[in-house]
Amino acid sequence: MRKAIIFMCISAMAFALLNIFVKSLEDFNVYQIVFFRSIGTLFFTIPFILKLKLNLLGNKRKLLVARGLIGFVAMTLFFMSLKYLTTGTAVSIRYISPIFAAFFALFILKEKIKPIQWFYFGIAFIGVFILKGFDGEILNIGLLYIVVSAIFTGLVFIIIRKIGSKDHPLIVVNYFMVISTVLSGVFTYYNWTNPKGAEWLILLSLGVFGYFGQYYMTKALQESEVNRIAPLKYIEVVFTMLIGLIWLDETYTLLSVLGIILILIGLTLNTAVKGLK
């Protein structure tokens, strides 16, 4: 359990730094940011796929393409939202994606939702309403971007469930990154901004932080029971807020912090109850 906690903390810190770096690149077109985030990760996934001699095209190709396309939209909208919202707020609202996944699973996978989960979902949504209603810094366009991103992310969860064990996780991630690289590359071609100095380092680091965040989260989930370790992924919000406060001079009102806390409580309780038989 101790190793799992350490791995999850490393993962959360990697994702938090990724979030902050994306926020710091506000002068760049979002597609250029997505491009560097995606192509950077490919430098890790492709060598491992070749080393393991996996089928690069995968088995569930239609689902893999769908996962890549929907994942691209979700990631792009999340990065767009960071131009309008504080990083802690954006990450918190993005994490309501499991709620949308549960709704999709109810109709697509015919899975059941425990009655108590509806209550926990309600707590999380109250947190979102508090953020929108009392945080004057939240713009409607930013909220729209992040909520739609969460919806698409929830749909990604369902597609991954449909893929199941038919394809190696590296193949699933690789499809996502290849499709995101190609699509963002096309849009970036017409909206390219030449990076200067440290901006190159920040852009090139996006894929590195994204890969290691995913890698250590996977290792953490392999080391312990999912329902015991999964709630720890929400410390990404805490790390992101702290770094944003120090580095980007972001500010949060007491009510906005309350909203974020309610979102995290609702999501954590939902994750815990899903693990109960």
Side-chain angles (χ1 to χ4, degrees), residues 14-49:
F15 280 131
L17 289 170
L18 170 63
N19 300 331
I20 295 298
F21 282 169
V22 170
K23 178 71 171 179
S24 71
L25 294 168
E26 288 185 325
D27 293 334
F28 287 84
N29 183 276
V30 68
Y31 294 110
Q32 189 170 348
I33 297 174
V34 172
F35 176 77
F36 277 95
R37 159 69 177 92
S38 305
I39 200 170
T41 299
L42 287 178
F43 282 106
F44 293 94
T45 58
I46 291 179
F48 278 117
I49 288 173

Side-chain angles (χ1 to χ4, degrees), residues 15-16 22 38 40 75 98 108 123 126 146 159 204 218 226 247 275-276:
F15 280 131
V22 170
S38 305
M75 178 166 60
I108 299 175
I123 293 177
I126 288 173
I146 195 59
I159 294 174
L204 292 171
T218 301
V226 174
W247 188 2
L276 299 177

Side-chain angles (χ1 to χ4, degrees), residues 108-169:
I108 299 175
L109 302 179
K110 307 303 180 183
E111 293 183 357
K112 294 182 179 180
I113 299 178
K114 298 177 181 179
I116 191 64
Q117 286 182 263
W118 294 108
F119 176 67
Y120 297 151
F121 291 163
I123 293 177
F125 274 114
I126 288 173
V128 174
F129 291 138
I130 288 177
L131 280 172
K132 176 59 189 117
F134 297 98
D135 190 341
E137 297 299 317
I138 291 186
L139 300 177
N140 288 331
I141 187 65
L143 183 65
L144 175 64
Y145 284 150
I146 195 59
V147 170
V148 177
S149 174
I151 293 172
F152 274 84
T153 302
L155 189 54
V156 165
F157 293 158
I158 300 303
I159 294 174
I160 292 176
R161 288 283 301 279
K162 294 279 286 184
I163 294 172
S165 59
K166 299 295 182 181
D167 281 294
H168 193 282

Side-chain angles (χ1 to χ4, degrees), residues 65-77 152-153 156 176 180:
V65 170
R67 187 268 180 267
L69 290 173
I70 294 173
F72 167 71
V73 174
M75 178 166 60
T76 301
L77 289 172
F152 274 84
T153 302
V156 165
F176 174 29
S180 295

Side-chain angles (χ1 to χ4, degrees), residues 38-272:
S38 305
I39 200 170
T41 299
L42 287 178
F43 282 106
F44 293 94
T45 58
I46 291 179
F48 278 117
I49 288 173
L50 296 176
K51 181 180 179 180
L52 296 174
K53 297 180 179 179
L54 300 173
N55 178 9
L56 195 61
L57 295 179
N59 300 308
K60 296 285 187 177
R61 295 173 189 176
K62 290 182 179 180
L63 288 175
L64 288 167
V65 170
R67 187 268 180 267
L69 290 173
I70 294 173
F72 167 71
V73 174
M75 178 166 60
T76 301
L77 289 172
F78 171 58
F79 288 172
M80 284 182 174
S81 75
L82 289 175
K83 293 182 179 292
Y84 301 95
L85 307 174
T86 57
T87 50
T89 298
V91 174
S92 299
I93 298 177
R94 182 188 63 175
Y95 267 131
I96 65 174
S97 55
I99 298 177
F100 294 115
F103 284 116
F104 288 132
L106 184 65
F107 298 103
I108 299 175
L109 302 179
K110 307 303 180 183
E111 293 183 357
K112 294 182 179 180
I113 299 178
K114 298 177 181 179
I116 191 64
Q117 286 182 263
W118 294 108
F119 176 67
Y120 297 151
F121 291 163
I123 293 177
F125 274 114
I126 288 173
V128 174
F129 291 138
I130 288 177
L131 280 172
K132 176 59 189 117
F134 297 98
D135 190 341
E137 297 299 317
I138 291 186
L139 300 177
N140 288 331
I141 187 65
L143 183 65
L144 175 64
Y145 284 150
I146 195 59
V147 170
V148 177
S149 174
I151 293 172
F152 274 84
T153 302
L155 189 54
V156 165
F157 293 158
I158 300 303
I159 294 174
I160 292 176
R161 288 283 301 279
K162 294 279 286 184
I163 294 172
S165 59
K166 299 295 182 181
D167 281 294
H168 193 282
L170 275 174
I171 298 298
V172 179
V173 173
N174 199 61
Y175 258 84
F176 174 29
M177 292 295 99
V178 168
I179 290 174
S180 295
T181 298
V182 172
L183 292 179
S184 63
V186 171
F187 292 114
T188 298
Y189 180 79
Y190 298 101
N191 298 278
W192 177 266
T193 300
N194 283 323
K196 299 177 182 178
E199 291 174 343
W200 276 108
L201 182 61
I202 294 174
L203 283 165
L204 292 171
S205 72
L206 298 181
V208 178
F209 285 120
Y211 173 78
F212 280 100
Q214 192 68 46
Y215 175 77
Y216 279 102
M217 182 175 70
T218 301
K219 284 184 70 67
L221 295 173
Q222 290 173 336
E223 288 286 337
S224 180
E225 295 177 16
V226 174
N227 64 303
R228 295 180 64 187
I229 198 66
L232 284 176
K233 67 183 178 181
Y234 300 130
I235 61 174
E236 176 192 342
V237 177
V238 178
F239 288 158
T240 299
M241 290 178 67
L242 290 175
I243 299 173
L245 286 168
I246 297 170
W247 188 2
L248 302 178
D249 294 323
E250 293 184 331
T251 57
Y252 296 88
T253 65
L254 287 176
L255 282 171
S256 65
V257 172
L258 173 62
I260 290 172
I261 290 174
L262 286 175
I263 291 172
L264 298 183
I265 288 175
L267 296 174
T268 301
L269 291 174
N270 175 62
T271 302

